[in-house]
Amino acid sequence: MIKKEEPVMVKNPDDFPVYWFETSDSVSRRFQFESDGHLSMKVVDDARPVPQKMVESFLNKFFPFGYPYSVNEGYLRYTQFRALQHLSSAALSVLSTQSLLFAAGLRPTPAQATVVSWILKDGMQHAGKLICSNLGARMDSEPKLWRILADVLYDFGTGLELVSPLCPHLFLEMAGLGNFAKGMAVVAARATRLPIYSSFAKEGNLSDIFAKGEAISTLFNVAGIGVGIQLASTVCSSMEGKLVAGSILSAVHLYSVVEQMRGVPINTLNPQRTALIVSNFLKTGKVPSPPDLRFQEDLLFPERPVQDAGNVKVGRALHKAVKPSQVQKLKEVFVEEKFLLSQGKSWTDMVLEHDATGEDALRGWLVAAYAKSMRKSYNDPDDIILQDAYDKMNDVFNPFLSQVQAKGWYTDRFLDGTGTRFAW
């Protein structure tokens, strides 16, 4: 009888665990698909020195995933000065709270001042928040300016609290006014946070940038409270010491926020950025990118007209900017446009229709700039100069707009704050 042999069972390759090794930056990792389909990872060998491990761990916790390639230019500069800003602000807050309690007749320890600071920020702050909330459109147009103003208001309120022991009979008035200013500062700072963070988002990672930015703020706020407690226990035990340390911290605080804003590459069009784009284009034939333009912005006086871009002002009411007798003539020049231009003695008024976009604003600015240049060379009437400038704008606008959009500018909206617009 021939014995029947049992068939040899060959395992299906799919039954074997699928794994592989990856080595990157001196770290070897083993990846494997588990039976339930999930991917697991295990570090097999890590030859990195300890300092490098610490640095990379810090970056993973406080910087967006994929940094520096996942954010736009300027993020590191912004983060460095943001950390310094929060450090000095938190230390100054501890000193001001301690001064308030002294003015109220108490003799707190530094630790007590730290705890009570979370209570005293209420009250008059609410009134300041309500008033400042009506200025949201202006903050959309000029987030950098309002972010700086927020810290000026905060330091003003803190300064009032700091000197309150010098006039304890006015404790309620000074504490109330100080918290009123701080309430306005809180709204302005929070309202401008999103457009600033959005300017750094490069790969749809706004939430990650926001989360890591708040982590940096929290870390250095805690460090600043520690610095404030140490100062309150030593050099700031006297009123003279508080005034000196408070002045230094306030100067560092304001310097930090100004340097932060210089590093922010906002890509939306407002009056100042539009004027600077046009000015650069007329001088060089090229359009600057948002990172290139950020250092040209006037952070404190953004509404100041740019001479090389036609000296244009936007936002005045139509009946104030244009004489009634000129309206029909201007409509005939700018037949299909969503803007009107009116030359005044010191500047050119541009009035926009209610649905005008960034492209419309760019068209109007180019016309105004060309017209201003022509007035220096020709003595023709204004209507002829405007028509010639309008024709010249039409000749260059398509390649100009292509450059603007290729550089990353967002042209679907024009943020002119609470400027008045018109509709026929």
Side-chain angles (χ1 to χ4, degrees), residues 241-257:
K242 280 192 181 70
L243 293 175
V244 172
S247 300
I248 294 174
L249 288 171
S250 180
V252 171
H253 181 213
L254 294 178
Y255 170 76
S256 299
V257 74

Side-chain angles (χ1 to χ4, degrees), residues 51 68 120 229 345 367 402:
L120 292 182
I229 291 175
K345 293 182 179 180
V367 174
S402 298

Side-chain angles (χ1 to χ4, degrees), residues 68-274:
Y69 306 106
S70 61
V71 295
N72 284 318
E73 185 179 341
Y75 184 76
L76 179 60
R77 177 191 178 95
Y78 170 80
T79 302
Q80 288 171 335
F81 284 103
R82 180 176 173 82
L84 184 59
Q85 172 211 350
H86 281 279
L87 181 71
S88 56
S89 173
L92 190 59
S93 178
V94 172
L95 299 183
S96 68
T97 303
Q98 188 188 43
S99 294
L100 271 181
L101 296 178
F102 271 114
L106 302 175
R107 293 296 179 266
T109 65
Q112 290 172 332
T114 305
V115 174
V116 177
S117 67
W118 294 97
I119 302 173
L120 292 182
K121 66 177 183 178
D122 293 327
M124 283 295 288
Q125 275 197 6
H126 297 300
K129 290 178 180 179
L130 289 173
I131 291 176
C132 198
S133 64
N134 295 324
L135 304 173
R138 296 181 184 272
M139 297 177 196
D140 279 331
S141 177
E142 292 292 349
K144 295 184 181 183
L145 170 65
W146 282 95
R147 187 63 187 86
I148 294 172
L149 287 178
D151 285 86
V152 171
L153 286 169
Y154 181 87
D155 281 12
F156 173 73
T158 304
L160 288 177
E161 295 174 351
L162 202 64
V163 300
S164 58
L166 299 178
C167 42
H169 57 289
L170 297 176
F171 168 77
L172 183 60
E173 290 83 354
M174 297 189 73
L177 183 58
N179 277 288
F180 179 81
K182 283 185 172 183
M184 295 185 69
V186 167
V187 172
R190 290 177 179 173
T192 55
R193 194 175 301 166
L194 187 59
I196 290 172
Y197 279 142
S198 298
S199 68
F200 292 111
K202 193 175 182 180
E203 301 174 351
N205 57 343
L206 177 59
S207 296
D208 190 22
I209 291 175
F210 191 94
K212 298 301 171 57
E214 295 308 293
I216 286 282
S217 301
T218 302
L219 175 66
F220 283 90
N221 270 328
V222 172
I225 290 174
V227 171
I229 291 175
Q230 185 63 30
L231 289 174
S233 305
T234 53
V235 297
C236 296
S237 56
S238 65
M239 192 63 206
E240 294 79 4
K242 280 192 181 70
L243 293 175
V244 172
S247 300
I248 294 174
L249 288 171
S250 180
V252 171
H253 181 213
L254 294 178
Y255 170 76
S256 299
V257 74
V258 170
E259 290 302 313
Q260 273 184 69
M261 295 304 104
R262 290 194 192 282
V264 178
I266 294 179
N267 66 345
T268 53
L269 294 179
N270 69 354
Q272 181 180 201
R273 287 189 286 276
T274 304

